[in-house]
Amino acid sequence: MTHPRMITPAAQAARELLENAPAELHIRGLRVELAKCSPGMRRWLLEYTSPNAFGVNNPLADLEALEERTLANATAQLARELIAARRDDEAIEDALVSLRGHLEEHFLQRKYAKLYGH
């Protein structure tokens, strides 16, 4: 067993963060149940949301960047096709809103899968 005075301040802060963790976090629009996350992901999320943690990367950054690129590309392609097919503005708007809703749900599920390790 490690002597209490031999623990570094950073290790002590990490231990306290894990010991005092809430049951769930609200992060970037998601409600995350920490018990469902792997220990590594749980630690990553706690560090990311800790007010004392500086320089910790967003655990969802890569997925969010992919989401933005996918949404922009899909929206542009769908709009081009609908305009080329001479659809009216209301039909184009409805299709784009539907596409956005579908992609938001898709990426929401991918975020939870990444967070929960499924």
Side-chain angles (χ1 to χ4, degrees):
M1 184 168 164
T2 305
H3 192 277
R5 284 188 260 172
M6 308 274 301
I7 297 174
T8 66
Q12 181 63 30
R15 179 188 288 173
E16 289 174 5
L17 192 62
L18 290 172
E19 289 174 352
N20 298 318
E24 64 182 39
L25 288 175
H26 293 274
I27 176 174
R28 304 182 75 79
L30 302 172
R31 185 180 70 80
V32 180
E33 297 175 54
L34 291 176
K36 291 183 178 181
C37 297
S38 69
M41 180 59 76
R42 187 171 28 254
R43 186 172 46 257
W44 199 12
L45 289 168
L46 289 168
E47 288 173 0
Y48 179 70
T49 58
S50 172
N52 299 324
F54 299 104
V56 176
N57 293 328
N58 170 6
L60 300 173
D62 292 340
L63 193 52
E64 289 175 345
L66 175 64
E67 180 179 16
E68 288 178 21
R69 284 192 311 273
T70 301
L71 182 58
N73 291 338
T75 301
Q77 181 180 347
L78 180 60
R80 276 192 306 272
E81 291 174 6
L82 292 173
I83 291 169
R86 300 182 193 269
R87 301 290 178 144
D88 65 28
D89 289 345
E90 192 171 307
I92 292 172
E93 184 177 346
D94 289 345
L96 292 172
V97 167
S98 178
L99 173 65
R100 181 176 187 84
H102 174 75
L103 287 175
E104 284 177 352
E105 181 61 28
H106 170 77
F107 279 101
L108 177 68
Q109 295 306 315
R110 286 190 67 179
K111 288 174 187 176
Y112 278 125
K114 179 175 175 82
L115 292 169
Y116 295 148
H118 299 303

